[in-house]
Structures are given as C-alpha cells and as structure tokens.
Amino acid sequence: MQVRCQCKEVMWKKNVRILLVFLFMSTFSKADTIDVWNIYYNQRLIQNFNDFTANEIVLKMDSIQPGDSITLRYYRDTPCHDCATFLVIENEKHYVFFERSNRGTGTPISFSVDQLLAIRNNGYIRPFLVFYHEGKLERRSDKILLFRIRLE
C-alpha cells in the first residue's frame, strides 16, 4: 500500500515539474500574430491576403464597368479605433498616384477603378502598388505593401 502512495506522489511531482517548465518557457516566448487584409470588388470579397500570400490582383480591362470600386479592410491584433488610416496607390518608383483615408483599423477604405483606368490610358502600363499605413507617415518603411494590381 505504501508503494502505491509513493508512486502517486512521484507522478504528481513529475507533473508539477513539467507544468512549471511550460509556464517558465511561456514567459520567454513571443506571441506572433499575422495581419490580414480583405479586398472587395464592388462590395464582393475577392481576396484574403496576409504576409505569406502572393499578393496580386489581376483586373481584366474589358470587364471593368464605370463606377466599379475596390475596398480594403485591414486587420491587426492591436487595432487603433480613432487613428487616421491611409491607402496609397503608387508606381514602382514610389510616385504617389492618389491616396484615400479613413479613421480606425479595420474600417473600409475605397477607391474607384476608373482612377486606375485613367492612369493606364495616360500610358502607365506597370502594376499599381497598394500601400497601407496608419497615422502620420514619418518614414517610407512605415508603409506596408499590401498588394499589386495589374490591368490586362
């Protein structure tokens, strides 16, 4: 009978040690979250992106209708509810074609596809780069490249 009690006590101590090791390790581990962004074409979800996806949208020029729009919703684990949020459309040399803004992480930011067509009709044939940032832009590295738009 005494041998059984010692076995239970040894098992209990072993379990407590394992638990303590996991708790100790968790204080030094860093939680990693992934930002995600959803892209809507005329209020219809067309893409879910994150840092690990191939972030390109191809639009067929012959299927674009006047008034079509693209909307972005950007989500992160530490949202700001009242900060200024910006969507910036640029070329590969960081020339800004136009910019749209809203307030708060996760709020939709939209732009007209007609604007892309107008730029394309003026001779620009490269992909458009779509960047996102929150608050005042102090460095170019504060912007996040979200995706590219190709018009075919």
Side-chain angles (χ1 to χ4, degrees), residues 20-151:
L20 288 174
V21 167
F22 281 120
L23 288 175
F24 180 73
M25 288 173 53
S26 68
T27 60
F28 291 106
S29 65
K30 184 178 176 183
D32 190 18
T33 58
I34 299 173
D35 296 354
V36 296
W37 47 96
N38 298 331
I39 309 302
Y40 298 84
Y41 194 90
N42 295 334
Q43 288 80 41
R44 185 177 64 85
L45 179 66
I46 60 169
Q47 284 294 138
N48 291 319
F49 289 134
N50 62 47
D51 289 329
F52 303 106
T53 55
N55 301 341
E56 183 173 78
I57 294 174
V58 178
L59 299 178
K60 302 293 182 187
M61 291 179 56
D62 57 355
S63 65
I64 296 173
Q65 300 296 314
D68 284 357
S69 66
I70 292 177
T71 303
L72 164 84
R73 291 190 85 133
Y74 185 87
Y75 302 98
R76 61 186 175 95
D77 66 331
T78 55
C80 65
H81 300 289
D82 196 36
C83 65
T85 56
F86 297 91
L87 189 65
V88 183
I89 292 31
E90 302 180 359
N91 68 10
E92 68 278 354
K93 295 181 180 177
H94 300 291
Y95 173 80
V96 175
F97 290 119
F98 59 91
E99 177 179 282
R100 296 292 174 263
S101 65
N102 206 336
R103 293 203 80 61
T105 307
T107 58
I109 304 175
S110 299
F111 64 91
S112 172
V113 179
D114 294 336
Q115 293 176 282
L116 300 179
L117 284 176
I119 296 167
R120 173 69 181 248
N121 290 338
N122 284 330
Y124 182 75
I125 59 171
R126 309 273 307 164
F128 295 92
L129 306 179
V130 181
F131 289 89
Y132 176 83
H133 71 92
E134 295 177 349
K136 184 179 176 184
L137 187 63
E138 295 179 10
R139 296 176 305 272
R140 189 185 327 224
S141 61
D142 292 339
K143 294 188 295 187
I144 302 164
L145 175 60
L146 298 181
F147 59 98
R148 289 173 172 76
I149 300 174
R150 273 191 312 127
L151 298 177

